[in-house]
Amino acid sequence: MIKSSLYGAAALMALAASTANAQEAFQLAALDEVIVEGRYLSLDKLNAVKAPTPIIDVPQSLSIISEDQIEDQSFSNIGDVLRYTPGLSISQGEGHRDAIIIRGNETTADFFIDGLRDDVQYFRPLYNLEQIEILRGSNALLFGRGGGGGVINRVTKRPDYDEAFTGLTTSVDTFGAYSVAGDINYALSDNAAFRLNAFYESLNNHRDFFDGERYAVNPTFSFQATPNTEFLLSYEYVNDDRVVDRGVPSVSVANGPDVPLEGFDSTFFGSPDENRTTLEAHIVRGRIDHSFSEFLRGNITAQYADYDKLYQNLYAAGFDAAAAMVTLDGYQDFTDRQNLIVQANLVSEFETGPFGHTILFGAEYGDQDTTNARNDNVFAVNGDDQLAIPFTDPLIIPAFAFSDPARNTASNVTFTSVYLQDQIDITDRFILVLGGRYDRFEIDANDFASAGAFSRTDEEITPRLGAIYKPASNVSFYASYSETFLPRSGDQFLSLDLDTESTRPQFFKNKEIGAKWDINPDLSFTAAIFELDRESFTSADPEDPAQIIVIDGSETKGLEIGLTGELADRWSVSAGYSYLDGEVAIVGGGGTDGNKTRQTPEHMFSMWNRFSITEKLGLGAGVTYQDSFFVREDNAVEIPSFVRVDAALYYDVSDNLRVQVNLENLLNEDYFPDAHSNDNISTGEPINARFTITARL
């Protein structure tokens, strides 16, 4: 199958090249419009690539989700967004955090906000975003450690100096969940502006006992001190309190892997009173942008963030259908983290002889203090953390308490980074990207439970290489190689111990070729073929999740195709397809050697269409397909494939008032969208509707 997919991609690339020369004459005139309208990942904006680079000249696969798309599809969380993004899938995250799978690699920490690390485990709201940038492939040069399969960068809204406005959005769905959001901008003077974004959401869905609420506020002040210097100050407060829901267990079937338990989509396998997570976050950010000359500009950003996180839960740890018994386990976890990150960048554009250069030079410093404690639950009837009880609906939960200390650690992580990249315009048609990053990563940790202290320092240099050929101004073919690393302490600095202290970090290496074609100023096609290799990493033992096993490495090969923009005067589309072939290797072989990587659907496809029927009336229609996948590396439980159809209807009552209804799972498909472990599998929502009113004053 991958051969036919690759042949198809090659044919599309060849079509782009053959068409390009014929189109170049009129595309040159359109190119200026493309630039003016901002088809850049970074040009006087806060975002990921840090240099003024057109999308067509970025040598890697990427997706940009605009504010309009977020509103049109009524996305409310990162999971909604990624279900319409090729090459990425959602992991359950134990019901208390964003967790994603990028090119076969799971992460809870590869999130950034305005280019700065945002790595605490929580559900990130979308109320204050200009756009979401998804960059695939290892790329330590821009982001530092982690980001093995790629990263997600959220770009926040900035104050507008030119106008005053108030935006209001309110919505309610058929489960009873509702939200209210506000966006207020005020131009204080010609060179000063203030913007306030805020939202409140009452949570509900199809699951028994699920509820909760979250709210956030984000005031931002911007001041242009001189024509060349701008100051930005932002504060965000996020509060989230919700039930932790870890879905349903799996059941055994004859002649095949286990499958999710069907027919109990709403049944809650936990304690309605004790399954809870709370988050309180304070994030303060200051930034200075300065243009030194026509050819040199820079910025410096400082961010301090304080996160206070709790989650506790009971969950299914086994299910015996024949005996009608379910085994429960549980724990309570506290995390407190303070992040201080300072990042500075200089960008210079100049020529040396016939060559043009765009130089990015940057440095980053971070200091992260984390305390984490975990208590196991103890059932009163047996004094153990696990207990098999009769399966009833709802479950009758015996008395228990989170009273058995299992972990109590504190860690301090400091990192210092320097990076340099040169984008060299060899000719009008050929571009080289050469760069490297030096990271010094230090961790000092104390395990208070075992009275042990340990530390580790890693110093790594990671390269980035890219070559871009442009047969026409609107077409590019690229090849790239990039690396990143992840310290053995993992995403959250919790797994370093005396046994793994001497083990070097794991490395990710991404090789990729691709094509980008701006078919016209409003329609773009992208294709990429890649191979991502991951070195030795650890995972929970499927037979005993409390134990850690070493996996020698993994390899993911794949193909990604995307089409975004205006297909016709009244028809816009965002479509994507990915093919992923992931495989793990075990030290010395073993039963899981050669198995599929966790939660990596082989085929994923999504398409969202927006039709403007009249000037006031619009229609949206979408479909997303996700292939079957195995939950863990043991390949013991397989989640079946599904197709979900969504729709929307929009009506502009006036220039300042819009009403819309979004229908999800229009065909009422019974499906399982994601999972965390073999007995924690999410159930998809049945057909439901969300009604939204948006006003701008």
Side-chain angles (χ1 to χ4, degrees):
M1 182 64 192
I2 188 168
K3 287 184 178 180
S4 61
S5 300
L6 298 185
Y7 292 153
L12 288 168
M13 294 179 189
L15 174 63
S18 65
T19 310
N21 290 328
Q23 292 184 337
E24 185 167 9
F26 69 84
Q27 286 292 347
L28 286 174
L31 182 61
D32 289 339
E33 180 182 356
V34 172
I35 293 174
V36 169
E37 291 186 354
R39 292 192 60 79
Y40 286 79
L41 277 180
S42 184
L43 182 60
D44 297 324
K45 293 182 179 180
L46 295 169
N47 45 53
V49 300
K50 302 180 174 69
T53 306
I55 294 172
I56 202 167
D57 293 343
V58 177
Q60 70 184 107
S61 176
L62 58 93
S63 299
I64 297 179
I65 313 300
S66 67
E67 179 186 3
D68 288 342
Q69 186 175 349
I70 292 172
E71 292 178 353
D72 278 356
Q73 295 188 247
S74 195
F75 293 148
S76 63
N77 55 62
I78 295 291
D80 290 341
V81 172
L82 297 192
R83 289 189 180 99
Y84 273 90
T85 307
L88 291 90
S89 56
I90 291 296
S91 185
Q92 183 192 87
E94 298 178 278
H96 69 87
R97 65 192 179 201
D98 289 325
I100 57 178
I101 313 287
I102 309 181
R103 292 184 170 178
N105 292 276
E106 184 178 25
T107 178
T108 64
D110 292 328
F111 298 93
F112 291 76
I113 182 166
D114 294 331
L116 295 178
R117 188 172 295 277
D118 175 38
D119 57 6
V120 171
Q121 297 178 337
Y122 70 106
F123 288 112
R124 291 155 178 82
L126 311 181
Y127 71 104
N128 60 342
L129 299 188
E130 188 75 29
Q131 64 186 31
I132 300 173
E133 301 167 348
I134 301 169
L135 283 78
R136 302 178 190 86
S138 308
N139 197 336
L141 186 140
L142 295 175
F143 309 110
R145 72 179 190 270
V151 303
I152 295 177
N153 181 55
R154 294 174 296 144
V155 181
T156 58
K157 297 176 181 178
R158 302 185 69 170
D160 189 332
Y161 295 114
D162 297 326
E163 62 175 326
F165 60 80
T166 298
L168 295 172
T169 301
T170 181
S171 67
V172 61
D173 69 20
T174 48
F175 297 119
Y178 63 89
S179 65
V180 180
D183 181 2
I184 301 171
N185 186 86
Y186 186 68
L188 302 172
S189 67
D190 291 341
N191 58 0
F194 174 80
R195 191 164 187 170
L196 176 67
N197 283 274
F199 94 114
Y200 170 85
E201 183 177 18
S202 176
L203 302 168
N204 208 335
N205 63 18
H206 66 298
R207 301 280 292 161
D208 293 342
F209 308 115
F210 180 80
D211 65 13
E213 64 177 10
R214 63 173 176 167
Y215 56 92
V217 60
N218 179 202
T220 306
F221 173 74
S222 183
F223 173 62
Q224 191 123 22
T226 72
N228 296 322
T229 306
E230 183 180 45
F231 294 85
L232 183 82
L233 182 63
S234 171
Y235 165 72
E236 183 177 19
Y237 174 77
V238 182
N239 190 295
D240 194 321
D241 184 341
R242 68 178 70 197
V243 167
V244 173
D245 179 14
R246 295 176 62 161
V248 300
S250 62
V251 294
S252 298
V253 295
N255 302 320
D258 294 354
V259 298
L261 175 67
E262 294 184 351
F264 297 91
D265 289 356
S266 62
T267 304
F268 187 68
F269 287 81
S271 167
D273 298 323
E274 299 298 333
N275 277 46
R276 207 81 198 177
T277 182
T278 61
L279 168 87
E280 191 170 25
H282 303 266
I283 305 169
V284 181
R285 186 182 310 110
R287 175 172 169 131
I288 303 173
D289 287 88
H290 181 72
S291 295
F292 297 94
S293 70
E294 183 180 354
F295 309 104
L296 179 65
R297 61 180 181 163
N299 60 70
I300 183 169
T301 306
Q303 175 179 287
Y304 175 79
D306 182 282
Y307 307 89
D308 188 3
K309 172 75 182 289
L310 160 72
Y311 69 96
Q312 59 186 38
N313 59 162
L314 290 184
Y315 57 91
F319 186 81
D320 186 337
M325 299 288 287
V326 58
T327 299
L328 296 180
D329 199 347
Y331 57 84
Q332 178 185 64
D333 195 278
F334 303 89
T335 298
D336 184 54
R337 179 174 296 168
Q338 293 81 41
N339 284 356
L340 173 64
I341 300 173
V342 181
Q343 183 187 99
N345 298 285
L346 282 173
V347 178
S348 179
E349 297 174 274
F350 59 91
E351 294 181 354
T352 57
F355 303 133
H357 297 268
T358 302
I359 297 285
L360 167 66
F361 174 72
E364 190 172 41
Y365 170 80
D367 188 303
Q368 301 180 267
D369 287 309
T370 305
T371 58
N372 175 263
R374 173 167 292 192
N375 297 321
D376 277 340
N377 69 292
V378 177
F379 287 103
V381 68
N382 66 349
D384 197 359
D385 63 336
Q386 290 196 354
L387 180 67
I389 64 172
F391 175 46
T392 57
D393 190 7
L395 296 181
I396 300 173
I397 306 295
F400 72 96
F402 298 112
S403 57
D404 182 16
R407 182 170 65 210
N408 187 7
T409 63
S411 66
N412 173 253
V413 169
T414 59
F415 58 90
T416 306
S417 309
V418 179
Y419 45 93
L420 177 66
Q421 176 181 279
D422 188 4
Q423 178 180 303
I424 309 169
D425 297 325
I426 305 295
T427 68
D428 291 340
R429 297 181 182 274
F430 187 58
I431 301 170
L432 284 178
V433 177
L434 307 173
R437 178 176 179 128
Y438 164 81
D439 283 282
R440 179 180 173 88
F441 182 90
E442 301 176 71
I443 180 168
D444 294 295
N446 285 285
D447 187 337
F448 300 112
S450 64
F454 42 84
S455 63
R456 180 181 174 91
T457 299
D458 294 301
E459 294 182 273
E460 303 296 343
I461 295 177
T462 46
R464 184 190 191 198
L465 308 172
I468 303 160
Y469 174 65
K470 303 180 70 174
S473 58
N474 63 315
V475 176
S476 69
F477 296 92
Y478 69 86
S480 69
Y481 174 83
S482 57
E483 293 183 4
T484 193
F485 75 99
L486 183 65
R488 179 61 64 162
S489 53
D491 282 340
Q492 302 296 332
F493 329 131
L494 302 179
S495 60
L496 183 66
D497 57 40
L498 295 177
D499 293 329
T500 60
E501 181 182 5
S502 60
T503 308
R504 67 182 178 87
Q506 57 176 286
F507 280 83
F508 301 77
K509 299 177 182 179
N510 189 80
K511 292 171 281 189
E512 184 172 325
I513 60 172
K516 298 179 182 180
W517 178 20
D518 287 338
I519 301 170
N520 60 53
D522 299 312
L523 183 65
S524 297
F525 167 82
T526 61
I529 301 169
F530 70 90
E531 179 181 303
L532 176 61
D533 294 318
R534 180 181 187 181
E535 292 187 355
S536 174
F537 62 99
T538 58
S539 180
D541 186 342
E543 300 298 326
D544 182 3
Q547 300 299 315
I548 299 298
I549 60 173
V550 176
I551 296 177
D552 197 34
S554 67
E555 178 184 76
T556 305
K557 297 179 180 179
L559 162 72
E560 295 161 348
I561 298 175
L563 181 69
T564 305
E566 303 286 336
L567 280 178
D569 184 40
R570 294 177 176 269
W571 179 14
S572 63
V573 65
S574 176
Y577 165 77
S578 66
Y579 173 89
L580 300 175
D581 180 15
E583 185 176 294
V584 299
I586 303 297
V587 176
T592 60
D593 189 36
N595 281 3
K596 295 293 185 180
T597 52
R598 64 169 54 199
Q599 299 178 52
T600 307
E602 194 169 77
H603 301 278
M604 285 184 283
F605 172 78
S606 65
M607 174 181 285
W608 179 259
N609 300 272
R610 173 72 150 83
F611 306 96
S612 297
I613 300 172
T614 69
E615 290 186 359
K616 290 182 174 292
L617 183 64
L619 176 67
V623 59
T624 179
Y625 168 77
Q626 182 171 284
D627 207 351
S628 61
F629 63 84
F630 293 105
V631 176
R632 303 186 72 113
E633 290 86 359
D634 62 350
N635 291 186
V637 177
E638 185 174 21
I639 307 301
S641 62
F642 69 87
V643 176
R644 197 185 80 186
V645 176
D646 302 326
L649 188 67
Y650 317 96
Y651 184 73
D652 293 325
V653 179
S654 68
D655 290 342
N656 298 318
L657 181 65
R658 183 172 85 162
V659 295
Q660 72 182 69
V661 56
N662 290 81
L663 299 173
E664 181 183 286
N665 197 7
L666 193 62
L667 303 181
N668 205 28
E669 173 87 354
D670 189 14
Y671 70 103
F672 302 90
D674 52 59
H676 170 69
S677 66
N678 287 344
D679 285 300
N680 298 162
I681 303 165
S682 301
T683 63
E685 294 180 342
I687 183 172
N688 64 92
R690 177 179 290 271
F691 303 89
T692 303
I693 299 175
T694 304
R696 185 179 174 98
L697 308 175

Coordinates of all heavy atoms in Angstrom, one line a residue, residues 158-167 183-197 220-223 696-697:
R158 N -2.9 39.4 19.5 CA -2.2 40.6 20.0 C -3.1 41.8 19.9 O -4.0 41.8 19.1 CB -0.9 40.8 19.2 CG 0.0 39.6 19.2 CD 1.3 39.9 18.5 NE 2.1 40.9 19.2 CZ 3.4 41.2 18.9 NH1 4.0 40.6 17.8 NH2 4.1 42.1 19.6
P159 N -2.8 42.8 20.7 CA -3.6 44.0 20.6 C -3.5 44.7 19.2 O -2.5 44.6 18.5 CB -3.0 44.9 21.7 CG -2.4 44.0 22.6 CD -1.9 42.8 21.8
D160 N -4.6 45.3 18.8 CA -4.6 46.0 17.5 C -4.6 47.5 17.7 O -5.5 48.0 18.4 CB -5.9 45.6 16.7 CG -6.0 46.0 15.3 OD1 -5.4 47.1 15.0 OD2 -6.6 45.4 14.5
Y161 N -3.7 48.2 17.1 CA -3.5 49.6 17.3 C -4.6 50.4 16.5 O -4.8 51.6 16.8 CB -2.2 50.1 16.9 CG -1.0 49.6 17.7 CD1 -0.1 48.7 17.1 CD2 -0.8 50.0 19.0 CE1 1.0 48.2 17.8 CE2 0.2 49.5 19.7 CZ 1.1 48.6 19.1 OH 2.2 48.1 19.9
D162 N -5.3 49.8 15.6 CA -6.1 50.6 14.6 C -7.5 50.7 14.9 O -8.2 51.5 14.3 CB -5.9 50.0 13.2 CG -4.5 50.0 12.7 OD1 -3.8 51.0 13.1 OD2 -4.0 49.1 12.0
E163 N -8.1 49.8 15.8 CA -9.5 49.9 16.0 C -9.9 49.4 17.4 O -9.1 48.8 18.1 CB -10.2 49.0 15.0 CG -9.8 47.6 15.0 CD -10.7 46.7 14.1 OE1 -11.8 47.0 13.9 OE2 -10.1 45.7 13.6
A164 N -11.1 49.8 17.8 CA -11.7 49.3 19.0 C -12.9 48.4 18.6 O -13.6 48.7 17.8 CB -12.2 50.4 19.9
F165 N -12.9 47.2 19.3 CA -14.0 46.3 19.0 C -14.3 45.4 20.2 O -13.4 45.3 21.1 CB -13.7 45.4 17.8 CG -12.5 44.6 17.9 CD1 -12.6 43.4 18.6 CD2 -11.3 45.0 17.3 CE1 -11.4 42.6 18.7 CE2 -10.2 44.2 17.4 CZ -10.2 43.0 18.1
T166 N -15.5 44.8 20.2 CA -15.9 43.8 21.2 C -16.5 42.6 20.5 O -17.4 42.8 19.8 CB -16.9 44.4 22.3 OG1 -16.3 45.5 22.9 CG2 -17.3 43.3 23.3
G167 N -15.9 41.5 20.7 CA -16.4 40.2 20.2 C -17.0 39.4 21.3 O -16.4 39.2 22.3
D183 N -13.9 38.9 23.5 CA -12.6 39.4 22.9 C -12.8 40.9 22.8 O -13.5 41.4 21.9 CB -12.4 38.7 21.6 CG -11.1 39.2 20.9 OD1 -10.3 40.0 21.5 OD2 -10.8 38.7 19.8
I184 N -12.1 41.7 23.6 CA -12.2 43.1 23.7 C -10.9 43.8 23.3 O -9.9 43.4 23.9 CB -12.7 43.6 25.1 CG1 -14.0 42.9 25.4 CG2 -12.8 45.1 25.1 CD1 -14.5 43.2 26.9
N185 N -10.9 44.6 22.3 CA -9.7 45.4 21.9 C -10.0 46.9 22.0 O -11.0 47.3 21.6 CB -9.3 45.0 20.5 CG -7.9 45.6 20.1 OD1 -6.9 45.1 20.4 ND2 -8.0 46.8 19.5
Y186 N -9.0 47.6 22.6 CA -9.1 49.0 22.7 C -7.8 49.7 22.3 O -6.8 49.4 22.9 CB -9.6 49.4 24.1 CG -9.9 50.9 24.3 CD1 -11.0 51.4 23.7 CD2 -9.1 51.7 25.0 CE1 -11.3 52.8 23.8 CE2 -9.3 53.1 25.2 CZ -10.5 53.6 24.6 OH -10.7 54.9 24.7
A187 N -7.9 50.6 21.3 CA -6.7 51.3 21.0 C -6.6 52.5 21.9 O -7.3 53.5 21.8 CB -6.8 51.8 19.5
L188 N -5.6 52.5 22.8 CA -5.5 53.6 23.8 C -4.9 54.8 23.1 O -5.2 55.9 23.6 CB -4.5 53.1 24.9 CG -4.9 51.8 25.6 CD1 -3.8 51.3 26.6 CD2 -6.2 52.1 26.4
S189 N -4.1 54.7 22.1 CA -3.5 55.8 21.4 C -3.0 55.3 20.1 O -3.2 54.1 19.7 CB -2.4 56.5 22.2 OG -1.3 55.6 22.3
D190 N -2.3 56.1 19.3 CA -1.7 55.6 18.0 C -0.7 54.6 18.3 O -0.4 53.8 17.3 CB -1.1 56.8 17.3 CG -2.2 57.7 16.7 OD1 -3.4 57.3 16.7 OD2 -1.9 58.9 16.4
N191 N -0.1 54.5 19.5 CA 1.0 53.6 19.7 C 0.8 52.7 20.9 O 1.8 52.2 21.5 CB 2.4 54.3 19.8 CG 2.4 55.4 20.9 OD1 1.4 55.6 21.6 ND2 3.5 56.1 21.0
A192 N -0.4 52.6 21.4 CA -0.6 51.8 22.6 C -2.0 51.1 22.4 O -3.0 51.8 21.9 CB -0.6 52.6 23.9
A193 N -2.1 49.8 22.8 CA -3.4 49.1 22.7 C -3.5 48.1 23.8 O -2.5 47.6 24.3 CB -3.5 48.5 21.3
F194 N -4.7 47.7 24.1 CA -5.0 46.7 25.1 C -6.0 45.8 24.6 O -7.0 46.1 23.9 CB -5.6 47.4 26.4 CG -6.0 46.5 27.5 CD1 -5.1 45.9 28.3 CD2 -7.4 46.2 27.6 CE1 -5.5 45.0 29.3 CE2 -7.8 45.3 28.6 CZ -6.9 44.7 29.5
R195 N -5.8 44.5 24.9 CA -6.8 43.4 24.4 C -7.0 42.5 25.6 O -6.1 42.1 26.3 CB -6.2 42.7 23.2 CG -7.2 41.8 22.5 CD -6.7 41.4 21.2 NE -7.7 40.6 20.4 CZ -7.6 40.4 19.1 NH1 -6.6 40.8 18.4 NH2 -8.6 39.7 18.5
L196 N -8.3 42.1 25.7 CA -8.7 41.2 26.8 C -9.5 40.1 26.2 O -10.5 40.3 25.5 CB -9.5 41.9 27.8 CG -10.1 41.0 28.9 CD1 -9.0 40.5 29.8 CD2 -11.2 41.8 29.8
N197 N -9.0 38.8 26.3 CA -9.7 37.6 25.9 C -10.1 36.8 27.2 O -9.2 36.7 28.1 CB -8.9 36.8 25.0 CG -8.8 37.3 23.6 OD1 -9.7 37.0 22.8 ND2 -7.8 38.1 23.3
T220 N -3.7 41.6 27.6 CA -2.5 41.8 26.9 C -2.4 43.3 26.6 O -3.3 43.9 26.1 CB -2.4 41.0 25.6 OG1 -2.6 39.6 25.8 CG2 -1.0 41.2 24.9
F221 N -1.2 43.9 26.8 CA -0.9 45.3 26.6 C 0.3 45.4 25.6 O 1.3 44.7 25.8 CB -0.6 46.0 27.9 CG -0.2 47.5 27.7 CD1 -1.1 48.4 27.3 CD2 1.1 47.8 27.8 CE1 -0.7 49.8 27.1 CE2 1.6 49.1 27.7 CZ 0.6 50.1 27.3
S222 N 0.1 46.2 24.6 CA 1.2 46.5 23.6 C 1.5 47.9 23.5 O 0.5 48.8 23.5 CB 0.8 45.9 22.3 OG 1.8 46.0 21.4
F223 N 2.8 48.3 23.4 CA 3.2 49.7 23.3 C 4.3 49.8 22.4 O 5.3 49.1 22.5 CB 3.6 50.2 24.7 CG 4.2 51.5 24.8 CD1 3.5 52.6 24.4 CD2 5.5 51.7 25.2 CE1 4.0 53.9 24.4 CE2 6.1 53.0 25.2 CZ 5.3 54.1 24.8
R696 N -20.0 40.9 16.9 CA -18.8 41.8 17.0 C -19.4 43.2 17.0 O -20.1 43.6 16.1 CB -17.9 41.6 15.8 CG -16.6 42.4 15.8 CD -15.8 42.1 14.6 NE -14.6 43.0 14.5 CZ -13.4 42.6 14.9 NH1 -13.2 41.4 15.5 NH2 -12.4 43.4 14.8
L697 N -19.0 44.0 18.0 CA -19.6 45.3 18.2 C -18.5 46.4 18.0 O -17.3 46.1 18.2 CB -20.1 45.5 19.6 CG -21.2 44.4 20.0 CD1 -21.6 44.6 21.5 CD2 -22.4 44.4 19.1

